[in-house]
Every structure is written in C-alpha cells, then in structure tokens.
Amino acid sequence: MTAPSMADTERGTLAKAAGENFPVAPFFLPRDWREDLVAVYGFARLVDDIGDGDLAPGGADAHLLGVPADEAEDRLVLLDAFEADLRRVFHGTPRHPLLRRLQPTVRRRSLTPDPFLGLIAANRQDQLVTRYETYDDLLAYCELSANPVGRLVLAVTGTTTPERVRRSDAICTALQIVEHLQDVAEDLGRDRVYLPATDMRRFHVQEADLAAATAGASVRALVAFEAERARDLLNEGAPLVGSVHGRLRLLLAGFVAGGRAALHAIAAAQHDVLPGPPKPGRLRLLREVGVTLREEG
C-alpha cells in the first residue's frame, strides 16, 4: 500500500468539516471568506488530530513536518514540529500543504500568530493535563482550545472589536463544553475527563460511572448541570449575532444555533451521553437558526 499523498492528506483533514456541530464555511458566504475560513479550519483540525493521535496512517504528516520516522508517534514532538512550521507561515515557506494553504489567508487578513499558537498550546496541554479540578480550570483550557477559533473568524471577516471578542469567547467556550458533554465516553477512552472534579464530587459521580454503558441518575444530573452552564454562555454570547450584518450574521447565528441544537439533542437523550454523542437533526438546527435570528434581530 502506498503512503498517502500530500493532496490526500489535505483532503482527508478538510473532509472532517462536515461532521462539526456548526457550519465551517457555508455556501452563502463570499468566496474569499469561504476560502480563508476553510484554511483556518484546516489548521485547527490538523492540530487537533495531532493532539488526539488521529492522523492518517502512514506517517505522511510527520514526514511533511520533518519528524523522523522513529518519533512519528510522539505527539509532543509532532506539535513542536507543527509550531515550527506555523512560524514559517509568518516568516518563510511552510512545509505542510495545509499551512501553505493558510499562508495567503494570514497575509490577506493580517492575522497574528497568537490564536494559532493558542490552539497548539491547548493540544500540548492535552498531553500533560487529563483532569480539571474546577470549572475555572476548564474555562482557562477553553481560552486556548476554543476561543481562538472565534477570534480568527472575526479577524477573517474584518469585524473584530473588544465587545465582539468577549461575546465570541462566550460562544466558543460554550461550544467546547457542549462537545465535551457529547464526547464523555470517547474522551474517557483517551484517558481524559473534561467534567470538573469539584462538580463530579458534588453530584457523587465517580470516573467508573462514566465508563458504564448508560448513565445513571447522578451522571445525568451532572451532565444537565454542565449543559445549563453551556446554555448560559451561549445566551451571553448570542448578542454577537445582532452586532453584525448580512451573511456574517447568518454564519454567527449558525454557530449559536449549532450549540443550542446540540444541547437539545443532549436533553432529548435525557442527558445520557454515554452510549454515544447525541447529535441534532438538520431540522432542529434550522429551527434554532431561525429562533436565534429573530431573537437577535
């Protein structure tokens, strides 16, 4: 079997956009926005795949980043190499095709390294920190793992202001918490728990409870509690939608609606997330988009 080509590697990463809770670069956006948002998504998806050990088999990404074959499974080594290649986006010529795709976006939109470095730092943290004691600890992680994405969307669309960044951070943190709730079982399989330990003790939940086939009453109560926190954050961030106009307003409504629809799916499963991630249907998502646009009109 031949190793995947650079084009295959790029396509495989970008193809994952369809599985997200929210639209990455929907058809109704101007073409230049779509191209730039897909380039940003490609970076974010690849760094997550490195951090999760989900790179395509064959070692193509490690080879592209200049990582020796005997270190191709070392996630911290890969993340270091990826950061070095990111820096070439700003000062040189990157090696990886997804970073070469990102370079015109960075130049066209005058993007800074900080949000990209935050996403890399979050994935480094995932290799070193697998449990979070408090909700504030989890929020600090989301500051690295989620909030940079929203800031990049604002930067790409030329709409950054301090208030919009604050609202965007609330939405992105909420979406990250929702994803953690959907993926409790999968994360535990990776030896990661994103439910704050103080909350687990409050609801008398042990890690062994999270490994069950279905959730007991205590786990469901804990998931409902964290889901309400995420809902509050979405509501805090939702006025971002009404602060912009045109097609960007529809895109941001899609982000908020994606989170709300996912929370509805979790509630519809009676907060039992252990059998697998509850996913919203397309009609529910469209309904939530409509509600969000009306509320923030």
Side-chain angles (χ1 to χ4, degrees):
M1 187 173 74
T2 58
S5 68
M6 288 192 296
D8 289 339
T9 299
E10 185 178 15
R11 280 196 298 270
T13 299
L14 295 177
K16 297 180 181 180
E20 301 291 353
N21 278 335
F22 49 86
V24 171
F27 70 92
F28 56 78
L29 293 180
R31 181 176 178 179
D32 60 333
W33 281 10
R34 290 203 313 272
E35 290 176 352
D36 289 340
L37 290 173
V38 167
V40 167
Y41 173 81
F43 172 92
R45 182 69 267 169
L46 182 57
V47 72
D48 279 353
D49 285 349
I50 293 172
D52 290 341
D54 285 342
L55 293 177
D61 292 292
H63 177 72
L64 288 166
L65 294 171
V67 174
D70 61 348
E71 295 184 285
E73 301 299 320
D74 189 322
R75 299 178 195 177
L76 287 171
V77 170
L78 285 166
L79 288 167
D80 287 346
F82 192 60
E83 180 177 331
D85 212 29
L86 169 68
R87 294 188 185 278
R88 294 185 193 101
V89 171
F90 295 89
H91 306 289
T93 302
R95 296 173 174 173
H96 198 286
L98 284 170
L99 292 181
R100 288 203 292 271
R101 181 179 185 138
L102 179 64
Q103 193 168 44
T105 293
V106 163
R107 291 173 174 170
R108 184 162 49 241
R109 307 299 181 182
S110 299
L111 304 182
T112 67
D114 289 350
F116 300 104
L117 291 171
L119 294 172
I120 294 174
N123 279 276
R124 277 206 191 92
Q125 186 165 315
D126 275 335
Q127 313 314 309
L128 305 170
V129 180
T130 60
R131 306 292 188 276
Y132 290 86
E133 179 64 21
T134 68
Y135 181 61
D136 285 343
D137 293 337
L138 186 65
L139 292 181
Y141 169 73
C142 293
E143 175 69 19
L144 298 173
S145 68
N147 298 358
V149 175
R151 296 182 187 194
L152 284 166
V153 170
L154 293 177
V156 163
T157 57
T159 53
T160 301
T161 68
E163 178 64 11
R164 286 178 179 145
V165 167
R166 186 179 75 80
R167 301 285 189 183
S168 171
D169 285 353
I171 293 169
C172 290
T173 292
L175 293 175
Q176 180 77 89
I177 291 172
V178 170
E179 184 177 333
H180 288 160
L181 294 178
Q182 290 175 309
D183 294 341
V184 167
E186 179 183 334
D187 289 335
L188 187 64
R190 300 179 190 273
D191 191 30
R192 297 177 188 168
V193 177
Y194 294 104
L195 298 167
T198 52
D199 296 343
M200 290 177 65
R201 290 193 292 270
R202 173 181 173 182
F203 286 91
H204 307 289
V205 172
Q206 306 290 325
E207 282 194 23
D209 299 326
L210 304 180
T214 59
S218 295
V219 172
R220 292 175 194 241
L222 172 60
V223 170
F225 176 74
E226 305 298 350
E228 192 59 29
R229 280 177 156 169
R231 188 179 305 281
D232 289 344
L233 283 168
L234 282 174
N235 291 340
E236 179 184 338
L240 175 65
V241 175
S243 77
V244 298
H245 304 285
R247 286 175 280 188
L248 178 58
R249 184 165 170 264
L250 186 56
L251 175 68
L252 298 182
F255 292 161
V256 174
R260 287 173 169 169
L263 287 171
H264 180 271
I266 290 171
Q270 298 182 314
H271 300 99
D272 184 2
V273 297
L274 299 187
K279 295 285 189 180
R282 184 170 180 80
L283 284 178
R284 167 56 60 172
L285 177 59
L286 292 174
R287 186 176 301 136
E288 294 290 354
V289 168
V291 170
T292 300
L293 288 171
R294 286 195 299 273
E295 287 178 351
E296 306 303 331

